[in-house]
Amino acid sequence: MTQQFPSTFEASADEVLRLEDENLQLKQAVRSHAVVDQAIGVILAVGRLTPDQGWDTLRSISQNTNVKLRHVAELIVEWARTGQLPTEIRSRLEHELGLGDPSGEAE
């Protein structure tokens, strides 16, 4: 019976560590989700789009620049605050919103 106590204790400790890790991941996911939603809001305001179109635009920028979606979202939210956006992201955003070169950009 004394051997079961340490293994039960170890199992409980492992479960606590697993739950703490899961809790941390969920908190990070909520923060990331908030930033993504904020970025979509910026895109909606600038491009006069629907929420679905804003999401598609954000996703396309991420895919076409090979930058993680969360990071693109952070950059767009920062742009709304400071007016500064990396050239690659700005060019792609303008392209997605049809604000780029009026002669048409070849891809």
Side-chain angles (χ1 to χ4, degrees):
M1 198 178 242
T2 58
Q3 282 188 332
Q4 285 184 326
F5 181 73
S7 68
T8 302
F9 177 75
E10 288 172 9
S12 295
D14 287 345
E15 181 67 8
V16 167
L17 290 174
R18 187 191 68 73
L19 289 171
E20 286 176 344
D21 184 53
E22 184 178 324
N23 187 32
L24 178 61
Q25 289 178 17
L26 289 171
K27 285 180 181 179
Q28 290 170 341
V30 167
R31 279 192 290 271
S32 288
H33 186 65
V35 170
V36 168
D37 283 347
Q38 292 167 11
I40 290 170
V42 171
I43 292 170
L44 297 182
V46 171
R48 298 181 182 165
L49 305 175
T50 67
D52 286 341
Q53 291 170 322
W55 164 250
D56 290 343
T57 299
L58 183 62
R59 190 180 69 229
S60 180
I61 293 168
S62 173
Q63 291 172 343
N64 288 294
T65 59
N66 201 27
V67 177
K68 289 187 181 230
L69 188 127
R70 177 182 37 84
H71 187 60
V72 171
E74 290 168 350
L75 292 169
I76 289 175
V77 170
E78 183 70 12
W79 170 59
R81 192 177 65 77
T82 67
Q84 298 177 353
L85 189 63
T87 303
E88 181 181 22
I89 304 297
R90 178 184 295 275
S91 295
R92 194 70 217 173
L93 177 61
E94 289 173 350
H95 175 79
E96 292 290 327
L97 297 178
L99 303 173
D101 183 3
S103 65
E105 179 179 298
E107 285 194 38

